[in-house]
Amino acid sequence: MIGIWNSKIETELANMKFIFQIEDLNELQLRVWSEPVPMVEIDETVIEGNHLFAKGHNKYAPGILTFDLYFEENSFTGKLDMMGQEIELIGEKGRGTALSEEFAALAEMIRKTDLSPRTDAEIKEEVDKLLSKMSLEDKIGQMSQCLSSNHSFGGEVESAPPEVLVAEGKAGSILGAFDLKRIYELQKIAVEQSPHKIPLFFNADIIHGFQTIFPVPLAWSCSWDMELIKDACSIAAKEATASGNTYNHGPMVDLTRDPRWGRVVEGAGEDPYLGAQIAKAQVEGFQGDSLFSDETLIACLKHFIGYGGTEGGRDYNTVDISEGTLRNFHLPAFQAGIEAGAGSVMNAFNIYQGVPVAGNSFLLRELLREELGFEGMLISDYGSVEEIQIHGAARDKREAAAMAINATMDIEMVTRAYADELPRLVEAGTIKEEQLNDAVRRILTYKYKIGIMDDPYRYIQPEKEAQLHFHPDHLEKSRELARKSVVMLKNNGVLPLKREQKVAVIGPFGASRDLLGPWQFSQYAYETISLLQGISAKGLDKSQLKYVQGCDVEADIENGIEEAIMAAKESDVIVLALGEHSDMSGEAASRTDITLPAVQMKLAEAVVATGKPVVLVLTNGRPLALNWFEQHTDAIVETWFLGSQAGHAIADVLFGDYNPSGKLTMSFPQNVGQVPVYYNHFKTGRPVTNATRDQKYISKYIDSPNDPLYPFGYGLSYSKFEYSNLHIDLPKMTRKEVLQASVTVTNTGHYAGEEIVQLYIQDLYGSTVRPVKELKNFRSIRLEPGQSQRVEFQISEQDLIYYTGNHRYEAELGEFKLYIGSNSVDVMEVAFELV
Ligand code: BGC
């Protein structure tokens, strides 16, 4: 029974397909993958002869599943008990046909062939015409979103089934319809039965790939490679639109400083400048050159704004930040995304200055719309309109709805405060119908822009699913970005591994396919390349490669440690594969302890005690506290969650077929007590310096250094890069002048390699205090061994502007320092002045 098997069923919720993957990894192991949404987690398997019994649970809702199957040579039969409902299963060997295959012929018939985009003027005219025919209820319908089934991924929501809401024109967009058949069914109801036959948006969280999975965003941010990030988003859009999705709930562009917060995995780290570049690249990737293309998705910048400031790193917690911090740190990524043309913005769950963002007119109406000029659709995050009341900023749901609409919130995600309350608010004159008209105008405009008003089925593209999903070229791009996302944190020379060495792969991530990370729903998860597969593919023969799991991510395995020690002793080098599973980061996955789980520490201690060289390979979704490993292992390779090709990408780096160049975008603390620790902090009145380090009344800990273990911008290579001859041409520059800074970088190592040369500036004093360093530019260069290159940067007044104590954006005269180096700590410095 070793291999892949599949079985299809029809349930009330969806057409489903199960893939059973049975592998021999020292012992038989079963994984079950479900389509369209991967939701099965197996907890227990018993295999006897041709009989397989497995018990598991639904990842997204409480409920037990059991499989009771009997296998023949090429087929199997049996029963599935899904939350009390018994279903007959008949299956066959192999992956089987795609769920949507039956649509191929139909899709060709229902789609239009000769469609051209409308001009802005035409769209405006059509929108006004349609709007004039719509009742108040029809308008509110467009402003309401519902789930694709009665099955909820988040909190339970009370509402009529989606079929009814759509038929009555009470929903204008659908969340999470991953199945092409479901998308077709609902769109058909909308265009045949709803009052104005207005097609639906299909919204989904496509964060780092759709079927081909790319590294998690925190990982890909470490590549500092805008072109590759853009390519990844454009591939995600191609794959997702083939399956009918039109409106993305991404990119997430929150600034993140606290690794306890699970959502750091979705963002680009702690730097506003880099975050802005990455936000732009993602929007350009998802939206392409035109939203009219049937291969592009509407991008939604989330979560506006300040969510990353959540106290204690606890998700959904209070945020209390100043306007200066908001504007100088949190805003730049949103601003860049808006300038890149993002069609949508989603609010954050948190409060700002005591008012929940969902109903915060200063943030949404004044800052986002009036000041930044955002004209797209503003969507509320799941439940956040009703939560205005729960926060305690509104007396009831009606007041909450009024606050949201007054703040210009266009679409309410899933909950029904708008549907229930807006009619009476308009009747009572508390809000004006014109406010709703503005919202509906924006929504309909985008429905025209993406072409669904003229061809509602144009994104139902089963033939493209078959052609594009998990395409080899997409996998190649994923591998390329994965290699670039790896950050080597330590290497005493044990890496790269040599092909003649005997390698023991030890740890819960040695053969695991849990390398995709949170926020992905790929139906190809079972084809994820594990680390063991990646290393095997390097051509080591059987006698050279041993694998022992040692322990689970959070639990012991009987004799696991003993077996690990034996394997370690018989090998030349150990690849210790440890980390966090994918549910340990992401939404609602905050941790107070950011070390590895105790059981993995026990395994690591035992393996290190053998005295063999140990290479720690980490799979995780946040910066971890790695002090012990820094002291006791020979090399540390941070791989995050690298996606579909993870194992190949990691093996490429381990064996030196690829020279790592990734640089951290979040600082790694020495211990959780330092958190939040980030490079661009303020100085304080009593800073630690070499001179003050041993004094008492200084801003420091008595039991820990202030500095992180690995700073922002840090990452090693197999090459060695040396910096020399930092020069600036204008020690005093005026507002009109442009300063040229240059430095020589030399590869003094033995490998050709890539280096990310970083430029930082410090504004020594201002009307408000300034960070000790701020990234202002960077450049990737590639150098052969022995080769040198002069790297040049330009600084203009624009680079020195910030939101000052005078409540405006300006560069203030005075002294600055300019730093260039390999990370935020190892830099050369020179002073200059703005006069
Ligand atoms: C998350 C959003 C996401 C939404 C829909 C919310 O709980 O905060 O980021 O887009 O769910 O899935």
Side-chain angles (χ1 to χ4, degrees):
M1 46 170 95
I2 291 172
I4 301 276
W5 305 78
N6 81 89
S7 172
K8 287 184 192 167
I9 56 166
E10 274 201 37
T11 73
E12 259 176 46
L13 294 182
N15 251 9
M16 293 184 78
K17 180 169 151 189
F18 292 96
I19 302 261
F20 299 86
Q21 182 177 36
I22 305 171
E23 281 183 291
D24 186 6
L25 295 164
N26 297 343
E27 61 185 72
L28 287 187
Q29 280 193 14
L30 166 78
R31 296 262 176 280
V32 179
W33 315 92
S34 59
E35 297 177 17
V37 182
M39 51 117 178
V40 184
E41 200 109 297
I42 295 295
D43 303 310
E44 191 186 315
T45 316
V46 184
I47 300 178
E48 273 166 2
N50 71 335
H51 177 221
L52 179 152
F53 176 82
K55 196 168 167 188
H57 64 274
N58 182 340
K59 266 170 79 166
Y60 298 107
I64 303 288
L65 299 129
T66 59
F67 295 92
D68 201 354
L69 309 176
Y70 291 88
F71 288 78
E72 311 266 323
E73 199 176 329
N74 291 311
S75 62
F76 66 88
T77 51
K79 284 195 191 94
L80 158 67
D81 189 312
M82 187 153 66
M83 297 149 215
Q85 195 193 346
E86 200 172 279
I87 302 165
E88 291 286 323
L89 285 187
I90 301 178
E92 54 178 16
K93 206 160 199 170
R95 186 184 152 74
T97 53
L99 275 179
S100 56
E101 208 159 75
E102 58 202 85
F103 277 112
L106 175 71
E108 241 181 86
M109 278 161 47
I110 56 177
R111 282 184 325 227
K112 297 194 176 135
T113 45
D114 52 348
L115 201 66
S116 45
R118 302 214 185 213
T119 62
D120 288 350
E122 264 171 22
I123 293 181
K124 190 174 174 309
E125 200 185 315
E126 291 297 325
V127 166
D128 284 338
K129 236 195 298 179
L130 180 52
L131 194 63
S132 68
K133 292 189 228 151
M134 291 169 76
S135 69
L136 188 63
E137 208 177 42
D138 299 334
K139 292 174 189 172
I140 297 168
Q142 287 303 306
M143 298 168 67
S144 305
Q145 182 185 71
C146 70
L147 289 168
S148 75
S149 71
N150 293 327
H151 167 85
S152 158
F153 289 101
E156 288 309 315
V157 178
E158 259 184 50
S159 80
E163 290 82 352
V164 175
L165 294 175
V166 172
E168 293 176 355
K170 290 186 177 147
S173 58
I174 304 289
L175 175 61
F178 289 94
D179 177 9
L180 205 47
K181 180 167 177 233
R182 186 66 181 148
I183 290 182
Y184 170 68
E185 279 167 7
L186 291 173
Q187 194 69 300
K188 191 164 182 320
I189 297 175
V191 299
E192 289 181 2
Q193 298 176 35
S194 74
H196 297 279
K197 323 266 181 279
I198 302 173
L200 301 158
F201 284 129
F202 288 91
N203 300 41
D205 290 78
I206 295 145
I207 304 299
H208 55 113
F210 185 63
Q211 296 303 332
T212 305
I213 301 301
F214 290 87
V216 288
L218 179 59
W220 79 27
S221 70
C222 296
S223 73
W224 301 46
D225 189 325
M226 301 312 134
E227 278 312 304
L228 273 179
I229 292 172
K230 187 170 154 184
D231 289 349
C233 295
S234 132
I235 288 172
K238 274 192 188 142
E239 292 191 355
T241 45
S243 296
N245 298 287
T246 44
Y247 187 151
N248 193 11
H249 286 177
M252 187 276 213
V253 302
D254 296 317
L255 184 98
T256 62
R257 289 176 165 178
D258 190 330
R260 291 172 296 184
W261 190 41
R263 301 200 80 165
V264 303
V265 70
E266 298 168 48
E270 70 196 34
D271 185 66
Y273 172 81
L274 188 64
Q277 310 275 313
I278 293 177
K280 174 172 183 277
Q282 293 183 95
V283 170
E284 289 174 353
F286 287 127
Q287 297 199 160
D289 294 333
S290 160
L291 279 177
F292 180 73
S293 157
D294 58 14
E295 297 194 334
T296 58
L297 277 171
I298 297 170
C300 175
L301 302 164
K302 69 186 191 185
H303 308 82
F304 191 83
I305 189 173
Y307 194 11
T310 190
E311 282 182 1
R314 199 177 77 218
D315 210 357
Y316 320 123
N317 198 11
T318 300
V319 169
D320 199 356
I321 55 176
S322 68
E323 189 170 347
T325 294
L326 180 93
R327 287 179 178 272
N328 288 322
F329 292 96
H330 294 264
L331 194 58
F334 287 95
Q335 186 162 5
I338 289 164
E339 282 165 11
S344 179
V345 168
M346 186 190 297
N347 77 280
F349 286 123
N350 50 274
I351 55 169
Y352 174 71
Q353 313 277 315
V355 181
V357 182
N360 193 314
S361 283
F362 164 66
L363 287 182
L364 302 183
R365 180 192 289 280
E366 290 176 34
L367 179 59
L368 180 67
R369 299 262 190 219
E370 291 166 13
E371 193 179 319
L372 299 185
F374 173 66
E375 290 177 348
M377 297 173 287
L378 187 49
I379 186 169
S380 71
D381 200 353
Y382 205 115
S384 63
V385 175
E386 293 189 347
E387 284 172 23
I388 297 175
Q389 182 201 351
I390 304 174
H391 273 290
R395 165 199 286 263
D396 51 23
K397 205 161 92 173
R398 187 166 310 167
E399 204 175 302
M403 281 172 76
I405 189 78
N406 282 333
T408 75
M409 184 70 78
D410 298 325
I411 301 174
E412 181 181 3
M413 190 192 294
V414 179
T415 44
R416 311 287 301 163
Y418 273 11
D420 296 344
E421 306 296 345
L422 288 186
R424 265 164 297 177
L425 285 164
V426 175
E427 249 168 56
T430 317
I431 60 164
K432 298 195 186 66
E433 188 161 350
E434 195 43 45
Q435 292 178 264
L436 274 60
N437 290 348
D438 287 344
V440 178
R441 247 183 230 115
R442 290 188 278 261
I443 296 165
L444 294 178
T445 298
Y446 275 87
K447 289 192 171 179
Y448 273 104
K449 274 187 195 229
I450 67 168
I452 51 172
M453 294 301 282
D454 297 309
D455 180 6
Y457 299 114
R458 65 192 301 250
Y459 295 88
I460 310 268
Q461 310 180 81
E463 74 291 354
K464 272 207 193 160
E465 280 194 335
Q467 183 198 331
L468 294 175
H469 283 183
F470 221 58
H471 189 282
D473 293 350
H474 298 179
L475 292 171
E476 196 43 47
K477 265 286 178 242
S478 171
R479 179 169 177 169
E480 208 185 316
L481 184 50
R483 300 192 298 199
K484 276 214 140 175
S485 305
V486 170
V487 187
M488 188 159 71
L489 299 174
K490 175 176 181 182
N491 182 19
N492 66 6
V494 64
L495 289 177
L497 301 177
K498 293 162 206 72
R499 281 182 164 75
E500 54 290 356
Q501 281 176 315
K502 279 196 198 152
V503 180
V505 175
I506 295 175
F509 287 92
S512 169
R513 288 200 172 76
D514 186 9
L515 306 175
L516 302 181
W519 285 119
Q520 62 76 31
F521 307 95
S522 174
Q523 294 161 10
Y524 295 81
Y526 67 95
E527 288 194 38
T528 305
I529 305 296
S530 71
L531 176 58
L532 193 59
Q533 284 174 317
I535 293 181
S536 307
K538 290 297 171 193
L540 280 72
D541 70 44
K542 271 229 151 96
S543 67
Q544 274 181 279
L545 184 57
K546 285 205 164 49
Y547 159 65
V548 174
Q549 187 179 335
C551 64
D552 278 330
V553 175
E554 295 183 282
D556 281 324
I557 294 182
E558 214 180 308
N559 292 331
I561 294 201
E562 290 74 7
E563 285 171 20
I565 293 172
M566 259 166 49
K569 284 187 175 156
E570 289 165 17
S571 307
D572 301 321
V573 60
I574 291 128
V575 173
L576 185 59
L578 306 181
E580 297 177 306
H581 58 67
S582 49
D583 294 334
M584 288 168 83
S585 59
E587 187 173 352
S590 298
R591 297 182 66 199
T592 58
D593 180 355
I594 53 167
T595 58
L596 287 176
V599 55
Q600 296 190 53
M601 291 307 298
K602 228 164 61 187
L603 177 67
E605 282 162 17
V607 168
V608 164
T610 63
K612 294 287 171 124
V614 174
V615 177
L616 173 68
V617 172
L618 283 167
T619 296
N620 53 303
R622 56 160 60 75
L624 297 170
L626 297 172
N627 249 344
W628 186 88
F629 293 95
E630 168 64 27
Q631 284 159 23
H632 294 97
T633 61
D634 297 275
I636 303 179
V637 182
E638 176 54 83
T639 77
W640 314 106
F641 290 100
L642 286 184
S644 304
Q645 294 283 294
H648 285 319
I650 302 169
D652 288 342
V653 169
L654 294 181
F655 285 89
D657 297 336
Y658 185 82
N659 188 356
S661 60
K663 303 272 191 176
L664 294 180
T665 56
M666 274 188 88
S667 307
F668 273 47
Q670 313 225 12
N671 52 61
V672 73
Q674 292 180 315
V675 164
V677 57
Y678 47 92
Y679 88 96
N680 42 6
H681 58 83
F682 298 130
K683 204 164 151 195
T684 82
R686 298 182 178 195
V688 179
T689 62
N690 284 340
T692 64
R693 200 169 295 276
D694 298 326
Q695 295 171 14
K696 182 163 173 66
Y697 298 101
I698 292 302
S699 178
K700 63 175 190 179
Y701 298 101
I702 56 172
D703 59 354
S704 162
N706 287 5
D707 302 327
L709 181 61
Y710 306 119
F712 176 86
Y714 172 82
L716 303 173
S717 157
Y718 295 136
S719 316
K720 256 191 97 200
F721 298 104
E722 278 182 18
Y723 286 68
S724 58
N725 296 326
L726 173 60
H727 175 78
I728 56 168
D729 66 346
L730 285 178
K732 286 185 196 296
M733 74 180 256
T734 63
R735 291 186 188 276
K736 295 217 167 67
E737 284 173 316
V738 175
L739 178 158
Q740 309 273 346
S742 56
V743 74
T744 301
V745 184
T746 308
N747 180 355
T748 60
H750 302 296
Y751 293 83
E754 199 169 314
E755 167 74 335
I756 300 169
V757 181
Q758 301 159 36
L759 178 136
Y760 298 87
I761 282 185
Q762 180 185 14
D763 188 347
L764 294 191
Y765 43 83
S767 54
T768 66
V769 297
R770 308 295 302 122
V772 295
K773 274 193 196 96
E774 291 177 281
L775 182 74
K776 290 293 178 184
N777 210 338
F778 62 90
R779 196 145 299 148
S780 286
I781 57 167
R782 197 183 156 73
L783 294 176
E784 296 299 318
Q787 194 186 352
S788 290
Q789 190 178 322
R790 196 87 192 134
V791 181
E792 287 178 9
F793 295 99
Q794 270 129 36
I795 309 294
S796 70
E797 184 194 9
Q798 196 58 33
D799 299 302
L800 309 178
I801 286 178
Y802 77 108
Y803 187 73
T804 67
N806 308 318
H807 306 292
R808 49 176 190 260
Y809 290 92
E810 58 188 336
E812 294 175 323
L813 301 182
E815 292 166 81
F816 294 80
K817 271 188 185 167
L818 181 151
Y819 306 89
I820 299 183
S822 175
N823 60 60
S824 59
V825 170
D826 298 318
V827 287
M828 303 183 74
E829 65 172 77
V830 60
F832 73 96
E833 210 176 327
L834 181 67
V835 293

PDB file of all heavy atoms in Angstrom, residues 24 95 144 222 231 299 312 320 337 365 379 414 426 441 578 586 624 640 656 769:
ATOM      1  N   ASP A  24       7.099   4.827   3.710  1.00  0.00           N
ATOM      2  CA  ASP A  24       7.898   3.988   4.602  1.00  0.00           C
ATOM      3  C   ASP A  24       9.103   4.788   5.097  1.00  0.00           C
ATOM      4  O   ASP A  24      10.123   4.860   4.434  1.00  0.00           O
ATOM      5  CB  ASP A  24       8.359   2.738   3.833  1.00  0.00           C
ATOM      6  CG  ASP A  24       9.057   1.766   4.765  1.00  0.00           C
ATOM      7  OD1 ASP A  24       9.061   2.019   5.987  1.00  0.00           O
ATOM      8  OD2 ASP A  24       9.583   0.757   4.273  1.00  0.00           O
ATOM      9  N   ARG A  95      -2.997   9.966  -8.094  1.00  0.00           N
ATOM     10  CA  ARG A  95      -3.563  11.251  -7.690  1.00  0.00           C
ATOM     11  C   ARG A  95      -4.973  11.457  -8.215  1.00  0.00           C
ATOM     12  O   ARG A  95      -5.751  12.228  -7.679  1.00  0.00           O
ATOM     13  CB  ARG A  95      -2.634  12.362  -8.213  1.00  0.00           C
ATOM     14  CG  ARG A  95      -3.010  13.713  -7.759  1.00  0.00           C
ATOM     15  CD  ARG A  95      -2.166  14.807  -8.328  1.00  0.00           C
ATOM     16  NE  ARG A  95      -2.972  16.015  -8.370  1.00  0.00           N
ATOM     17  CZ  ARG A  95      -3.291  16.748  -7.319  1.00  0.00           C
ATOM     18  NH1 ARG A  95      -2.850  16.406  -6.127  1.00  0.00           N
ATOM     19  NH2 ARG A  95      -4.050  17.815  -7.437  1.00  0.00           N
ATOM     20  N   SER A 144     -21.630  43.817   1.635  1.00  0.00           N
ATOM     21  CA  SER A 144     -21.556  42.706   2.590  1.00  0.00           C
ATOM     22  C   SER A 144     -20.894  41.507   1.944  1.00  0.00           C
ATOM     23  O   SER A 144     -21.151  41.191   0.787  1.00  0.00           O
ATOM     24  CB  SER A 144     -22.961  42.307   3.047  1.00  0.00           C
ATOM     25  OG  SER A 144     -23.626  43.437   3.559  1.00  0.00           O
ATOM     26  N   CYS A 222      13.856  38.128   3.531  1.00  0.00           N
ATOM     27  CA  CYS A 222      15.300  37.998   3.781  1.00  0.00           C
ATOM     28  C   CYS A 222      16.104  37.855   2.485  1.00  0.00           C
ATOM     29  O   CYS A 222      17.332  37.883   2.514  1.00  0.00           O
ATOM     30  CB  CYS A 222      15.579  36.795   4.695  1.00  0.00           C
ATOM     31  SG  CYS A 222      14.867  37.012   6.329  1.00  0.00           S
ATOM     32  N   ASP A 231       7.829  38.206  -8.833  1.00  0.00           N
ATOM     33  CA  ASP A 231       7.531  37.011  -9.639  1.00  0.00           C
ATOM     34  C   ASP A 231       6.680  36.013  -8.857  1.00  0.00           C
ATOM     35  O   ASP A 231       5.760  35.406  -9.394  1.00  0.00           O
ATOM     36  CB  ASP A 231       8.830  36.289 -10.038  1.00  0.00           C
ATOM     37  CG  ASP A 231       9.612  37.074 -11.072  1.00  0.00           C
ATOM     38  OD1 ASP A 231       9.074  38.048 -11.628  1.00  0.00           O
ATOM     39  OD2 ASP A 231      10.790  36.709 -11.315  1.00  0.00           O
ATOM     40  N   ALA A 299      -5.099  43.397  -5.202  1.00  0.00           N
ATOM     41  CA  ALA A 299      -4.285  43.286  -3.985  1.00  0.00           C
ATOM     42  C   ALA A 299      -4.925  44.106  -2.869  1.00  0.00           C
ATOM     43  O   ALA A 299      -5.499  45.174  -3.118  1.00  0.00           O
ATOM     44  CB  ALA A 299      -2.874  43.799  -4.254  1.00  0.00           C
ATOM     45  N   GLY A 312       2.739  42.976  24.170  1.00  0.00           N
ATOM     46  CA  GLY A 312       3.131  41.643  24.620  1.00  0.00           C
ATOM     47  C   GLY A 312       3.159  40.616  23.498  1.00  0.00           C
ATOM     48  O   GLY A 312       3.304  39.422  23.754  1.00  0.00           O
ATOM     49  N   ASP A 320      -0.844  50.798  21.532  1.00  0.00           N
ATOM     50  CA  ASP A 320      -0.814  52.184  21.989  1.00  0.00           C
ATOM     51  C   ASP A 320       0.468  52.814  21.468  1.00  0.00           C
ATOM     52  O   ASP A 320       1.520  52.705  22.092  1.00  0.00           O
ATOM     53  CB  ASP A 320      -0.878  52.219  23.526  1.00  0.00           C
ATOM     54  CG  ASP A 320      -1.313  53.585  24.040  1.00  0.00           C
ATOM     55  OD1 ASP A 320      -1.479  54.507  23.199  1.00  0.00           O
ATOM     56  OD2 ASP A 320      -1.491  53.730  25.259  1.00  0.00           O
ATOM     57  N   GLY A 337       2.442  50.763  -1.055  1.00  0.00           N
ATOM     58  CA  GLY A 337       1.466  49.865  -1.685  1.00  0.00           C
ATOM     59  C   GLY A 337       0.356  50.655  -2.371  1.00  0.00           C
ATOM     60  O   GLY A 337      -0.115  50.277  -3.452  1.00  0.00           O
ATOM     61  N   ARG A 365     -10.618  57.743   7.168  1.00  0.00           N
ATOM     62  CA  ARG A 365     -11.096  58.822   6.288  1.00  0.00           C
ATOM     63  C   ARG A 365     -10.004  59.872   6.051  1.00  0.00           C
ATOM     64  O   ARG A 365      -9.653  60.176   4.910  1.00  0.00           O
ATOM     65  CB  ARG A 365     -12.324  59.495   6.907  1.00  0.00           C
ATOM     66  CG  ARG A 365     -12.881  60.631   6.070  1.00  0.00           C
ATOM     67  CD  ARG A 365     -13.899  61.433   6.854  1.00  0.00           C
ATOM     68  NE  ARG A 365     -15.141  60.678   7.046  1.00  0.00           N
ATOM     69  CZ  ARG A 365     -16.088  60.564   6.115  1.00  0.00           C
ATOM     70  NH1 ARG A 365     -15.947  61.153   4.948  1.00  0.00           N
ATOM     71  NH2 ARG A 365     -17.183  59.872   6.351  1.00  0.00           N
ATOM     72  N   ILE A 379     -11.963  47.232   3.120  1.00  0.00           N
ATOM     73  CA  ILE A 379     -12.713  46.072   3.631  1.00  0.00           C
ATOM     74  C   ILE A 379     -12.387  45.874   5.101  1.00  0.00           C
ATOM     75  O   ILE A 379     -11.235  46.054   5.517  1.00  0.00           O
ATOM     76  CB  ILE A 379     -12.397  44.806   2.792  1.00  0.00           C
ATOM     77  CG1 ILE A 379     -13.276  43.627   3.223  1.00  0.00           C
ATOM     78  CG2 ILE A 379     -10.939  44.397   2.855  1.00  0.00           C
ATOM     79  CD1 ILE A 379     -13.198  42.427   2.271  1.00  0.00           C
ATOM     80  N   VAL A 414     -17.855  39.179   6.249  1.00  0.00           N
ATOM     81  CA  VAL A 414     -18.584  38.066   6.862  1.00  0.00           C
ATOM     82  C   VAL A 414     -19.670  38.424   7.892  1.00  0.00           C
ATOM     83  O   VAL A 414     -20.778  37.916   7.807  1.00  0.00           O
ATOM     84  CB  VAL A 414     -17.595  37.021   7.445  1.00  0.00           C
ATOM     85  CG1 VAL A 414     -18.347  35.873   8.100  1.00  0.00           C
ATOM     86  CG2 VAL A 414     -16.695  36.478   6.344  1.00  0.00           C
ATOM     87  N   VAL A 426     -29.857  54.881   8.010  1.00  0.00           N
ATOM     88  CA  VAL A 426     -30.188  55.808   6.909  1.00  0.00           C
ATOM     89  C   VAL A 426     -31.573  56.407   7.158  1.00  0.00           C
ATOM     90  O   VAL A 426     -31.771  57.624   7.052  1.00  0.00           O
ATOM     91  CB  VAL A 426     -30.138  55.087   5.537  1.00  0.00           C
ATOM     92  CG1 VAL A 426     -30.610  56.015   4.420  1.00  0.00           C
ATOM     93  CG2 VAL A 426     -28.729  54.582   5.250  1.00  0.00           C
ATOM     94  N   ARG A 441     -20.106  52.683  -5.295  1.00  0.00           N
ATOM     95  CA  ARG A 441     -19.409  53.145  -6.501  1.00  0.00           C
ATOM     96  C   ARG A 441     -18.010  52.530  -6.587  1.00  0.00           C
ATOM     97  O   ARG A 441     -17.592  52.044  -7.624  1.00  0.00           O
ATOM     98  CB  ARG A 441     -19.273  54.671  -6.467  1.00  0.00           C
ATOM     99  CG  ARG A 441     -20.072  55.329  -7.533  1.00  0.00           C
ATOM    100  CD  ARG A 441     -19.871  56.833  -7.550  1.00  0.00           C
ATOM    101  NE  ARG A 441     -21.181  57.444  -7.561  1.00  0.00           N
ATOM    102  CZ  ARG A 441     -21.692  58.197  -6.605  1.00  0.00           C
ATOM    103  NH1 ARG A 441     -20.969  58.501  -5.547  1.00  0.00           N
ATOM    104  NH2 ARG A 441     -22.896  58.675  -6.701  1.00  0.00           N
ATOM    105  N   LEU A 578      15.325  20.973  13.420  1.00  0.00           N
ATOM    106  CA  LEU A 578      14.407  21.317  14.508  1.00  0.00           C
ATOM    107  C   LEU A 578      13.555  22.524  14.118  1.00  0.00           C
ATOM    108  O   LEU A 578      13.841  23.200  13.136  1.00  0.00           O
ATOM    109  CB  LEU A 578      15.205  21.651  15.774  1.00  0.00           C
ATOM    110  CG  LEU A 578      16.214  20.617  16.259  1.00  0.00           C
ATOM    111  CD1 LEU A 578      16.899  21.096  17.538  1.00  0.00           C
ATOM    112  CD2 LEU A 578      15.544  19.254  16.497  1.00  0.00           C
ATOM    113  N   GLY A 586       1.637  32.403  12.691  1.00  0.00           N
ATOM    114  CA  GLY A 586       0.441  32.764  11.931  1.00  0.00           C
ATOM    115  C   GLY A 586      -0.565  33.409  12.863  1.00  0.00           C
ATOM    116  O   GLY A 586      -0.239  33.784  13.993  1.00  0.00           O
ATOM    117  N   LEU A 624      13.708  33.171  16.802  1.00  0.00           N
ATOM    118  CA  LEU A 624      13.731  32.376  18.029  1.00  0.00           C
ATOM    119  C   LEU A 624      14.912  32.820  18.881  1.00  0.00           C
ATOM    120  O   LEU A 624      15.853  33.442  18.375  1.00  0.00           O
ATOM    121  CB  LEU A 624      13.880  30.899  17.678  1.00  0.00           C
ATOM    122  CG  LEU A 624      12.736  30.273  16.873  1.00  0.00           C
ATOM    123  CD1 LEU A 624      13.120  28.880  16.394  1.00  0.00           C
ATOM    124  CD2 LEU A 624      11.456  30.220  17.697  1.00  0.00           C
ATOM    125  N   TRP A 640      13.306  29.026   7.811  1.00  0.00           N
ATOM    126  CA  TRP A 640      11.891  29.437   7.923  1.00  0.00           C
ATOM    127  C   TRP A 640      10.991  28.312   7.410  1.00  0.00           C
ATOM    128  O   TRP A 640      11.303  27.151   7.590  1.00  0.00           O
ATOM    129  CB  TRP A 640      11.641  30.732   7.136  1.00  0.00           C
ATOM    130  CG  TRP A 640      12.658  31.810   7.341  1.00  0.00           C
ATOM    131  CD1 TRP A 640      13.616  32.204   6.466  1.00  0.00           C
ATOM    132  CD2 TRP A 640      12.825  32.652   8.503  1.00  0.00           C
ATOM    133  NE1 TRP A 640      14.356  33.238   6.989  1.00  0.00           N
ATOM    134  CE2 TRP A 640      13.891  33.537   8.232  1.00  0.00           C
ATOM    135  CE3 TRP A 640      12.159  32.766   9.720  1.00  0.00           C
ATOM    136  CZ2 TRP A 640      14.320  34.505   9.136  1.00  0.00           C
ATOM    137  CZ3 TRP A 640      12.594  33.733  10.623  1.00  0.00           C
ATOM    138  CH2 TRP A 640      13.642  34.567  10.323  1.00  0.00           C
ATOM    139  N   GLY A 656      26.646  23.526  -0.660  1.00  0.00           N
ATOM    140  CA  GLY A 656      27.436  24.553  -1.347  1.00  0.00           C
ATOM    141  C   GLY A 656      27.123  24.675  -2.831  1.00  0.00           C
ATOM    142  O   GLY A 656      27.845  25.350  -3.563  1.00  0.00           O
ATOM    143  N   VAL A 769      13.116  62.819  18.797  1.00  0.00           N
ATOM    144  CA  VAL A 769      14.295  61.948  18.767  1.00  0.00           C
ATOM    145  C   VAL A 769      14.249  61.034  17.551  1.00  0.00           C
ATOM    146  O   VAL A 769      13.183  60.717  17.032  1.00  0.00           O
ATOM    147  CB  VAL A 769      14.412  61.098  20.054  1.00  0.00           C
ATOM    148  CG1 VAL A 769      14.607  62.000  21.247  1.00  0.00           C
ATOM    149  CG2 VAL A 769      13.192  60.190  20.240  1.00  0.00           C
TER     150      VAL A 769
END
